[in-house]
Amino acid sequence: MPALPADRLEALLQSEFQFQSGQFNQAFSYYRLQAPAQLSADELLRGSQLATVLGETAWLANLDGAPALAEAPQIDLIRQRFERALQAGRSDSAQQAWQSLLRHSDERGLYASRAVAETYAARHQAVLSAALAIYADRPDLTPAERFELFQFAYLWRLEELADRLQGGLPPKSTEASLAATLRECVDGAADACKRRLQRLDPLDLSEWQRRSVLVLAQKAGDAEQNRRWLEVLPQDGGTYYQRIVLLGRAMDDAKARELLAQIRKDAALDDFQRPVLLGSLRELLKDWPEAETNYREALAAGVPTTASVRLAVVLFRQGKREAAFAQLQAVAADTGLSDEIRRDAFQTEVQFHRILRSDERDDEVLNAVYRRGLALWPQANPLRYQFAMRLFGQDRLEPAMSELQTILKAAPADADALNAYGFTLAKELNKPRAAYKPLAQAFLLSPEQPEILDSYGYVLFRLGRDKEALIHLQKAWQLTPSAVTAGHLGQVFLRIGDRQQAQVYLEKGLQLDASEAELLALQEQMR
């Protein structure tokens, strides 16, 4: 591309400065003023990154006409071409972008192609399948390309296409062996898959082929093969972490210490990765003081991470309860952290109180934790529902109903909240007429949920609609037999004069829970 005019070069440099400063909207002003056909490949890449973040779909839609895009070597640009072609339903353009990624000199092109195909498979399967068929018809396919396409054809159950692609592989090639292994591990017996994996030699495979085999080992659930194929990949934070996870499932102290030494010596790991990985291993080895040291080192690197929650866990393990709770509360209240980490801290605090059986001493301790959580996340209806159920368990009906009302004010179609609210009205507060509307709404929203079917059947029984009640209660019983539903069925059968069936459900219910109040009341009635 010819040198840029001085004024445009200055505008481009100003845009780049704004991009680096996080001023994305201002940075994109430069690209709004330029026709895509006049942009270089590097400019197209930066412009498309900004447009994606800002949701500038109209600008992105005009990119395909840009001459620089067709020959652009950047993987990100080619990946975006692939995605746009799928979204627009253009299978021919999708095939061309797919091919460009697979034939790219940088192996990251392969991983980008897989990421797009896997991400878009659910929403754009027809376009992907058509692109795959076009690609498979090319006469110049390499064995590597043919195997890559075979994988998707087989996994997407395009049987004829998969057979054709596999049949075109050189008979004794590595790719032919991988294709047979894929079939065995996806649809064959576990033992046959394991034998296939054992016969493969990692030294015969490229890195991306090893990663393909690792995926098969993971799907097969074979820990030994999983570990074997992980260890032959380039070791980084991701592969180390997967190896630690495998050790957590089948602990081996000697292997853990070997991995510990390997991570310590790996100069490629940064000041965050190394201590956080070592902390995870120290936890497996139950070396709590060293794990604490490692997690503190990781947090000193300033990276927002779940290490902040793991630190609390190892403090708790050492009996440092006050410090552990203080850590969790600080994490939950830190709005600079992701919501996922903050909620993890909250749930961990709840779990600690359950381990300590705090309710046996004072149930208000854990109630206070829930109230603090709801102050942090007032819109968290599932959390508020948990708290309401907890209050019901403490026979605090009024505050429990208040929490349910708060949920229903924000989310009138919350079936679980409607069910709990209506059943309490019918059962505990003896207001079946008031209970009918919320329970009917819950039934309309979730007509196959056993708990809701039981509640709806119960309120119909209380309103004297016994035949209707039986239909819903029997369905609830068929889906999930419970002592409560048995009690309700027994009551209905007793009232319509069928003592034999009432006795049947009484006995079935007592087998499930001999202390259920509904059944004990029914038993007393039948004496």
Side-chain angles (χ1 to χ4, degrees):
M1 184 173 180
L4 295 177
D7 57 343
R8 182 172 161 191
L9 179 59
E10 183 180 348
L12 176 59
L13 292 173
Q14 176 67 15
S15 171
E16 188 62 19
F17 174 77
Q18 290 167 331
F19 173 82
Q20 298 296 340
S21 303
Q23 302 173 52
F24 296 155
N25 195 48
Q26 295 92 319
F28 192 65
S29 297
Y30 168 81
Y31 297 95
R32 287 192 184 97
L33 298 174
Q34 308 300 328
Q38 302 302 314
L39 297 176
S40 69
D42 287 331
E43 288 175 302
L44 286 171
L45 176 57
R46 179 67 81 220
S48 63
Q49 289 170 338
L50 287 165
T52 300
V53 169
L54 297 172
E56 296 278 352
T57 53
W59 191 88
L60 287 168
N62 291 325
L63 280 190
D64 288 340
L69 186 65
E71 302 300 325
Q74 291 94 335
I75 290 170
D76 282 347
L77 279 176
I78 304 170
R79 175 182 56 77
Q80 290 170 12
R81 276 173 51 205
F82 194 2
E83 292 173 337
R84 286 196 302 277
L86 292 173
Q87 291 164 356
R90 298 196 304 270
S91 55
D92 53 346
S93 298
Q95 180 273 317
Q96 292 166 11
W98 198 345
Q99 177 182 313
S100 296
L101 287 172
L102 287 184
R103 294 187 175 182
H104 201 284
S105 57
D106 188 332
E107 207 167 48
R108 289 178 301 166
L110 169 72
Y111 302 130
S113 74
R114 287 184 179 179
V116 173
E118 290 167 359
T119 302
Y120 283 78
R123 289 172 291 163
H124 301 282
Q125 183 67 72
V127 188
L128 270 167
S129 297
L132 179 60
I134 295 170
Y135 199 168
D137 281 339
R138 289 189 62 91
D140 58 345
L141 289 180
T142 66
E145 280 179 293
R146 190 175 289 277
F147 170 68
E148 182 69 11
L149 298 178
F150 161 76
Q151 289 186 89
F152 285 106
Y154 188 70
L155 294 174
W156 294 341
R157 299 304 181 187
L158 304 173
E159 301 289 353
E160 184 180 342
L161 189 55
D163 290 345
R164 181 152 50 89
L165 285 162
Q166 186 177 11
L169 291 169
K172 295 185 179 181
S173 65
T174 299
E175 289 81 9
S177 179
L178 287 172
T181 302
L182 175 65
R183 283 188 182 271
E184 202 73 76
C185 290
V186 171
D187 290 323
D191 288 346
C193 173
K194 184 175 181 178
R195 287 194 297 271
R196 280 278 184 186
L197 293 172
Q198 287 171 333
R199 286 202 293 269
L200 291 173
D201 186 346
L203 297 177
D204 293 337
L205 308 182
S206 65
E207 182 186 330
W208 72 265
Q209 289 172 331
R210 293 174 191 174
R211 291 187 184 276
S212 294
V213 176
L214 173 61
V215 171
L216 294 178
Q218 290 170 332
K219 287 181 178 177
D222 189 307
E224 178 189 339
Q225 289 299 317
N226 217 329
R227 186 179 297 108
R228 176 189 176 212
W229 289 95
L230 269 173
E231 290 175 353
V232 297
L233 291 175
Q235 297 300 292
D236 55 23
T239 47
Y240 283 136
Y241 179 72
Q242 290 182 68
R243 289 170 67 183
I244 292 170
V245 170
L246 282 176
L247 277 171
R249 294 172 185 163
M251 185 55 183
D252 182 320
D253 281 18
K255 288 187 180 297
R257 294 189 187 283
E258 286 175 15
L259 185 53
L260 202 68
Q262 186 178 353
I263 291 171
R264 273 207 206 98
K265 294 175 184 176
D266 192 335
L269 296 172
D270 61 31
D271 291 339
F272 165 72
Q273 291 173 316
R274 184 179 296 102
V276 83
L277 291 167
L278 292 175
S280 298
L281 272 171
R282 290 294 186 188
E283 276 199 78
L284 290 182
L285 291 164
K286 299 182 180 179
D287 187 346
W288 315 123
E290 280 298 317
E292 178 186 347
T293 300
N294 292 142
Y295 286 137
R296 289 193 187 281
E297 288 175 4
L299 292 171
V303 180
T305 169
T306 54
S308 54
V309 178
R310 298 315 303 169
L311 173 59
V313 172
V314 297
L315 288 169
F316 188 80
R317 291 282 195 176
Q318 295 173 82
K320 302 177 182 179
R321 294 176 183 174
E322 288 186 13
F325 282 121
Q327 172 69 14
L328 291 172
Q329 289 165 19
V331 172
D334 187 349
T335 55
L337 295 172
S338 71
D339 212 43
E340 182 181 1
I341 293 174
R342 295 173 64 210
R343 288 174 187 263
D344 186 21
F346 172 78
Q347 293 295 349
T348 302
E349 184 180 2
V350 171
Q351 186 61 31
F352 282 178
H353 279 295
R354 288 175 179 157
I355 292 170
L356 295 172
R357 298 183 178 178
S358 298
D359 277 349
E360 293 181 7
R361 295 186 300 277
D362 182 1
D363 54 22
E364 269 303 306
V365 172
L366 196 46
N367 286 351
V369 176
Y370 273 99
R371 291 190 187 98
R372 184 163 19 88
L374 288 169
L376 293 171
W377 299 286
Q379 304 304 317
N381 288 337
L383 177 60
R384 194 175 296 279
Y385 181 80
Q386 286 179 31
F387 184 40
M389 294 303 100
R390 175 177 168 79
L391 292 172
F392 277 130
Q394 297 167 1
D395 291 327
R396 301 181 183 185
L397 298 187
E398 187 175 338
M401 292 291 273
S402 176
E403 296 295 344
L404 292 177
Q405 287 170 333
T406 301
I407 294 172
L408 293 172
K409 185 176 180 180
D414 189 311
D416 289 330
L418 285 165
N419 181 54
Y421 187 76
F423 187 74
T424 305
L425 283 173
K427 176 75 175 173
E428 306 297 338
L429 301 179
N430 197 29
K431 296 179 178 180
R433 292 190 182 279
Y436 177 76
K437 183 176 179 180
L439 288 175
Q441 289 175 328
F443 171 70
L444 288 173
L445 290 165
S446 296
E448 299 298 318
Q449 190 170 323
E451 295 83 356
I452 290 175
L453 284 164
D454 174 78
S455 299
Y456 188 48
Y458 175 76
V459 78
L460 290 171
F461 161 71
R462 291 293 308 277
L463 293 172
R465 296 160 63 175
D466 295 340
K467 290 184 179 179
E468 292 175 78
L470 272 180
I471 294 170
H472 301 295
L473 290 170
Q474 286 175 326
K475 186 173 181 180
W477 177 263
Q478 289 166 1
L479 290 171
T480 305
S482 74
V484 172
T485 301
H488 293 160
L489 279 165
Q491 289 176 348
V492 177
F493 278 118
L494 185 62
R495 192 160 73 184
I496 63 176
D498 193 337
R499 290 183 65 87
Q500 184 178 354
Q501 278 299 307
Q503 183 66 36
V504 167
Y505 280 104
L506 173 62
E507 292 172 1
K508 287 181 178 179
L510 289 171
Q511 289 174 4
L512 294 171
D513 184 356
S515 63
E516 170 55 45
E518 294 279 357
L519 294 169
L520 296 177
L522 177 63
Q523 192 174 42
E524 190 64 30
Q525 283 180 271
M526 294 184 68
R527 283 179 178 169

